Each structure stands twice: as C-alpha cells, then as structure tokens.
Amino acid sequence: MEPLVNTVRPYAWGSTTALPGLLGVAPDGRPQAELWMGAHPGAPSLVRRPEGDLPLDAVIEAAPAAELGDAVLRRFGARLPFLLKLLAADAPLSLQVHPDLAQAAVGFRIENAAAVPLDAPHRNYRDDNHKPEMVVALGEFEGLCGFRTPGECAGLLSALRVAGLDPHCVALRTHPEEEEALRAVFSAFLAPSPALVAAVAEAVAREARSDGPHQKDFALYDRVARAHPGDAGLLAALMLRTVRLAPGEGLFLGAGVPHAYVRGLAVEIMAASDNVLRCGLTAKHVDTAELLRVVRFDAPPVRVVRPAPDGPEEVYPAPVDDFRLSRVRVAEGGPAVVLDATAPHILVCTRGRVRLSGPRGVVPLGAGGSAYAPAGERVAVDGDGELYRATVDTGAPRARVDASIHPYSEAP
C-alpha cells in the first residue's frame, strides 16, 4: 500500500473552490473539475515509492499478476478496470450517453478500419469498452438522468407556452409507442432552429422565476441554458428527469442512458473507458446517427442508490463487475476496519483524517488524500473520518471489524 499523487483536470465546467476546499488548499482562481485516481493513460496516478514516483499504469504493466490478482487479470486483462474520481461541477457538463460492450466493440472496429486517428475530434470510440459509471454525492448534487415519460415531457414543454413546441407535444401525447414518441421528438430536438432555441431559453428563464408547479425544475434548466447560451442541447435536456442527491446518495448510469451532471461535489467511479457520445451542451463533436443508435428510448424512474451494509463497509450496489464502490467510516477510539481484497483497491479520504496500515507501513490520509494497494494486500483503517474504496468484486471476503487492532497500533 502506497500513497498516490493525482492529477487535477482543469475543465471549464469545474468549480474553482470545491476541490481546494476539500483538500484544504487555497484556490488559485482556475476551475478544478476532476481529481483522477487510477491507471488511465490520460492521467495515471503516481505511486509514491522510496525509489521515486512511478505511474500506476507502468507499475501494473511491470507485474500484472502481482498487482491485479489472478481473477482480475483473467477477466479484464493486464489493466486496472476502473477509474475513480473526485468530481466538482460548477456548470453543467455535456449531455452524453455511453455505449454497451457490443456497441463499443463494433464502433471501435469500424473507426479503426476507417483509419480514424484515436485522437481525432470526430472520433466516437477510443476503445472497445463500455463505460458504466456511478456518482455519489459529497454534498448537494444536481443532474439530469434518463427520459421523462412522453406524457411528462409534454406537460413540461407545454408549460413553456412556446408555439414551436406544440407539434412535439402533440406527438408525445398521441404516439401509441412510448419509445417511438421519445425517439421522434428527441431526434427533432438534436437539430432545432436557432429561433426555437432562443424562444425556449427565454421561456425557461421566465418559468424559473415563476411560482408554477415546475419552477424548481425550470430553475435547473435555466442554469443549463445560461451556461450554454444558444446550444440546441437545451431542448434535449428538457426531456430528461432532474435529479437531486443528498450527501451519501448515489446514481448509477448504465449504457444508453442520456445524462448530464449540473452542479456539486461527488465521488465518481467508472469503467476505464473514454467512449462518450454527446447529445449537446458542448462545442465538441455530435454524431447524430451514432447517438440515435446508442440511446435507450425508455423512461424508467430514476433510482437513487443508497449504500447497503456489508460488514463495516457500506456498499453501493451496481450491476457491473468492472468496479465495486464502498464507504468506510471510522471514529476516534473505535475498532479498526480491516479490508481484504483479492483485487487491487484505491482508497480516498473524503472527510476527517484516517490512517491506513498495511504490511509495508502506514499511510495517513487527510481529506482528498488517496492510496493504492495491490491485490491480496490487507489494509487496516482507523482514525476519525470517512473514506471511499474502489475495487473489483471477485466474490471473495472483503471487510470486517477487527477489535484486536487498536486504533493507531502498528500494522498487523
């Protein structure tokens, strides 16, 4: 087990204060959007070792069986299958969707055959992997996720009283098939006239200041419109459900579900993939035909994910095996929590101060600090704080309370 040195990604939508506030450092005035923890080649964490800082992807490449364990190596190959982040949004991210495994494999193969460079701005598939993800709020968190039902969409759009939306409201209310109704209107909203976008933005701003039944939702959409003036993605965004998470609540996003994070600080975990198809709220490439092939046009209710006890851990259930996310809370004077794993794990402190004890020494972590442990390495956690652990669920025992390990004792 060793501490990590991580990269902050300065995307324009990032907060200038949230991550510095968590880390206890002074803001520098620039947006700080994401703190990456993992072995993603775009910004691999550095593992702090006596001989120097080494990129985690290089550490794994040098000894994949020892670092990943046999089960992960067989299932995912010689790579860490997840990426963990601290995400701090102060403006809406792009409206986007991710492919499933089959779609990613086909898309990647087609673009390779067409000799589209991996770094080309118009490329859709940068790898052959899916990108399921989960976000867990560390404070109040807002986003958009999944379609409203056709009837709910029509009701919201009608409240704007924009004549150009009337045909779409009729289609939503009268089409006999829910999926086809959503597909038809969403497709039209990907290329609306600038005049319609302007009229809708003006109506959204008006309704955000009203006391109507949709005021709270329109306030969120108004935030989207102001962050992306003139962007056609506003109309597509209006078809999506608004989501507000309280601290500790999560949201799982599977393949084909359109979504956009709007504001807040969160832990995010995802399969290690760069495959994103954008629907709007961005200056980046939007491939309408491929997007419509990937989007799922159904409208199930948004399910807020809450953690379930698993020994001393609280696990956020997810229907994928690329990652497993859990929360561990320890208190001063309480028993240590011992984390066992046949897979590698990354631990990040999000509140207070904790101490990690392992066979190779002790790593103290304050808020925002993180550490990496290879497969099979047992870690004892004590102190007074909260941390999140990212690993891979291989079906092996994972955690227990060990009262024989006194807080701040030497590593077992």
Side-chain angles (χ1 to χ4, degrees), residues 31-271:
Q32 299 186 32
E34 295 179 344
L35 180 75
W36 285 26
M37 294 161 282
H40 193 286
S45 298
L46 300 177
V47 180
R48 181 143 284 171
R49 290 186 167 175
E51 65 269 29
D53 295 346
L54 301 175
L56 182 53
D57 56 344
V59 169
I60 292 172
E61 184 179 358
E67 298 295 333
L68 300 175
D70 291 340
V72 173
L73 187 60
R74 285 195 304 268
R75 170 68 180 85
F76 297 101
R79 64 183 182 89
L80 191 68
F82 63 82
L83 175 64
L84 183 66
K85 300 179 181 180
L86 292 177
L87 180 147
D90 194 45
L93 283 66
S94 63
L95 188 60
Q96 59 189 256
V97 68
H98 307 302
D100 62 25
L101 275 169
Q103 292 164 339
V106 171
F108 186 65
R109 183 173 66 248
I110 289 173
E111 291 187 324
N112 282 348
V116 181
L118 278 175
D119 60 353
H122 62 285
R123 177 149 188 154
N124 295 314
Y125 298 95
R126 303 186 190 281
D127 54 67
D128 61 356
N129 199 19
H130 64 168
K131 194 185 177 186
E133 61 188 51
M134 180 183 288
V135 63
V136 175
L138 295 179
E140 293 184 356
F141 192 87
E142 295 181 317
L144 304 171
C145 177
F147 287 107
R148 298 173 182 270
T149 66
E152 291 169 341
C153 283
L156 188 80
L157 296 175
S158 295
L160 292 173
R161 304 192 302 278
V162 174
L165 295 177
D166 290 346
H168 304 296
C169 293
V170 170
L172 288 165
R173 287 187 170 117
T174 59
H175 202 291
E177 297 292 335
E178 175 180 279
E179 293 186 9
E180 289 307 311
L182 292 172
R183 177 185 291 274
V185 175
F186 184 80
S187 301
F189 280 178
L190 293 176
S193 70
L196 180 58
V197 174
V200 168
E202 182 179 346
V204 165
R206 180 194 68 231
E207 292 303 313
R209 298 189 298 269
S210 74
D211 58 357
H214 302 293
Q215 185 276 331
K216 193 173 182 181
D217 284 345
F218 281 129
L220 191 151
Y221 293 124
D222 186 44
R223 184 176 179 85
V224 169
R226 292 177 185 276
H228 298 277
D231 194 302
L234 172 62
L235 274 68
L238 286 164
M239 297 184 69
L240 304 189
R241 300 180 188 273
T242 58
V243 180
R244 294 172 177 86
L245 302 178
E249 293 182 335
L251 189 66
F252 176 81
L253 295 159
V257 179
H259 61 278
Y261 303 140
V262 175
R263 176 171 55 178
L265 178 65
V267 173
E268 185 183 24
I269 189 167
M270 61 189 63

Side-chain angles (χ1 to χ4, degrees), residues 67-69 72 340-345 373-377 389 391-394:
E67 298 295 333
L68 300 175
V72 173
D340 294 305
T342 57
H345 40 161
E377 186 162 305
R389 178 166 79 131
T391 186
V392 182
D393 192 349
T394 60

